[in-house]
Amino acid sequence: MNPETEYREGLDALAAHYKEILGLLGENAEREGLQKTPMRVAKAMQVLTRGYTMDAHKVLTDALFKEDYSQMVIVKDIDFFSLCEHHMLPFYGKVHVAYIPNGYITGLSKIARVVDIYSHRLQVQERMTLQIKECIEQTLHPLGVMVVVEAKHMCMQMRGVEKQNSITTTSDFSGAFNQAKTRQEFMNLINNR
């Protein structure tokens, strides 16, 4: 899906709902500044949730290469933006991924694409961390995978406790990363900025 030209089925219905929401908020959806807002928001929501239409496993297998390399491969500082499923407000930050190949590697950009696919859904950070790890694990069958996600949540910054500088960190790991030494090597490498 090209987010600038192609939209999924239901776009007009989604826009109609947003028009109704504007009225329920006390706004006049017919005033000049808001007339096109329902469609703009509907299009934005389809772009922000385009991950539902993509297959992360296929992204990895489309660039799968036999390689005897068996040391840690790290793709760090992958920027992401997602929508919290609880308030539909953004959370954003960086994802760091490491895997130890077991006969196969994938294109480095494909790791970032996997992050994009899972972040472009209504999410919670904990599930997104797990989904990224499981996708790499199930598709590449590596000796180990580790994923660390660092994010700021607008639902904590704009409402509720209103803490602007808090960062939430989640991690998940498997295989060789069950060893503290291997996890520590990964953490040292991603924190070496």
Side-chain angles (χ1 to χ4, degrees):
M1 176 174 135
N2 178 344
E4 297 302 316
T5 59
E6 298 174 26
Y7 296 97
R8 300 189 303 271
E9 188 176 323
L11 184 65
D12 291 329
L14 193 55
H17 286 293
Y18 279 114
K19 184 173 183 177
E20 185 177 345
I21 288 169
L22 287 172
L24 292 170
L25 292 174
E27 267 293 353
N28 173 7
E30 297 303 323
R31 74 175 172 84
E32 183 181 5
L34 291 177
Q35 287 176 358
K36 295 182 180 180
T37 296
M39 184 55 75
R40 285 188 199 108
V41 176
K43 288 179 177 179
M45 290 304 291
Q46 284 203 353
V47 170
L48 295 172
T49 60
R50 69 181 179 256
Y52 290 121
T53 65
M54 300 175 178
D55 182 346
H57 296 277
K58 184 174 182 337
V59 165
L60 291 178
T61 57
D62 282 351
L64 196 61
F65 308 102
K66 184 152 183 54
E67 191 63 52
D68 290 331
Y69 186 78
S70 61
Q71 299 301 312
M72 196 179 304
V73 176
I74 298 174
V75 182
K76 69 178 191 174
D77 295 329
I78 302 168
D79 292 318
F80 81 93
F81 299 88
S82 192
L83 289 176
C84 168
E85 69 181 34
H86 299 145
H87 300 98
M88 292 180 66
L89 290 172
F91 68 99
Y92 60 95
K94 301 215 180 271
V95 176
H96 315 286
V97 177
Y99 74 98
I100 300 173
N102 186 18
Y104 289 91
I105 61 171
T106 190
L108 298 175
S109 67
K110 303 311 178 189
I111 301 292
R113 294 278 291 135
V114 168
V115 171
D116 282 346
I117 289 168
Y118 288 115
S119 65
H120 281 83
R121 299 175 181 188
L122 297 181
Q123 274 293 10
V124 294
Q125 182 174 333
E126 297 87 345
R127 182 187 319 118
M128 186 179 85
T129 305
L130 176 66
Q131 288 173 329
I132 295 166
K133 186 218 48 161
E134 286 181 343
C135 178
I136 295 166
E137 188 175 50
Q138 294 166 5
T139 309
L140 299 181
H141 306 289
L143 299 174
V145 182
M146 185 162 177
V147 176
V148 173
V149 179
E150 302 169 306
K152 290 188 172 192
H153 292 251
M154 296 302 284
C155 58
M156 283 182 63
Q157 295 177 320
M158 295 175 65
R159 54 158 306 283
V161 296
E162 296 183 12
K163 301 299 178 207
Q164 280 70 42
N165 296 311
S166 64
I167 296 174
T168 301
T169 302
T170 52
S171 67
D172 201 354
F173 51 87
S174 67
F177 290 96
N178 284 312
Q179 299 174 16
K181 181 181 173 185
T182 308
R183 283 195 311 276
Q184 190 56 53
E185 179 185 350
F186 173 58
M187 295 306 290
N188 290 342
L189 289 167
I190 66 171
N191 289 319
N192 183 13
R193 301 182 193 264

